[in-house]
C-alpha cells in the first residue's frame, strides 16, 4: 500500500516537473524570437553646431553686455 502511494506521488511530481519544464522552454523560446526580431537600431544624433556649447555662448553674451555698459 505504501509503495503504491510513493509511486503515485513520484509519478505526479515527475509529470508536474515535465510540464513546468516545457512551459519554461516555450516561454524562453518566445522571448528569444521577439528580441531577435526587434533588435535595437543604432541612431546617430547630429548635433547642430549652433547648440553645441551653450555655456560659451552665454559667456560671450555677458561679455558683450559688459562692453556695451562701458561705452
Amino acid at each position: 500500500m505504501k509503495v503504491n502511494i510513493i509511486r503515485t506521488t513520484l509519478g505526479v511530481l515527475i509529470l508536474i516537473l515535465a510540464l513546468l519544464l516545457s512551459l519554461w522552454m516555450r516561454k524562453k523560446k518566445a522571448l528569444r524570437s521577439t528580441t531577435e526580431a526587434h533588435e535595437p537600431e543604432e541612431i546617430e544624433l547630429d548635433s547642430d553646431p549652433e547648440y553645441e556649447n551653450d555655456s560659451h555662448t552665454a559667456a560671450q553674451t555677458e561679455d558683450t553686455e559688459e562692453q556695451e555698459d562701458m561705452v
Side-chain angles (χ1 to χ4, degrees):
M1 181 73 170
K2 288 183 182 181
V3 174
N4 287 336
I5 293 173
I6 292 172
R7 278 189 208 164
T8 305
T9 304
L10 287 175
V12 169
L13 287 176
I14 290 173
L15 287 174
I16 290 172
L17 287 175
L19 176 67
L20 290 175
L21 182 65
S22 67
L23 290 174
W24 178 70
M25 295 289 277
R26 182 184 295 180
K27 183 178 179 182
K28 187 176 176 181
K29 183 179 177 183
L31 287 176
R32 186 179 306 144
S33 67
T34 57
T35 56
E36 288 176 1
H38 297 69
E39 290 182 9
E41 297 178 12
E42 289 186 28
I43 300 173
E44 246 182 73
L45 299 176
D46 294 333
S47 62
D48 192 0
E50 185 177 325
Y51 298 109
E52 274 185 12
N53 193 354
D54 287 337
S55 62
H56 183 270
T57 307
Q60 259 185 338
T61 306
E62 289 176 10
D63 290 342
T64 306
E65 288 175 0
E66 287 177 14
Q67 287 175 359
E68 288 175 358
D69 291 339
M70 295 175 102
V71 175

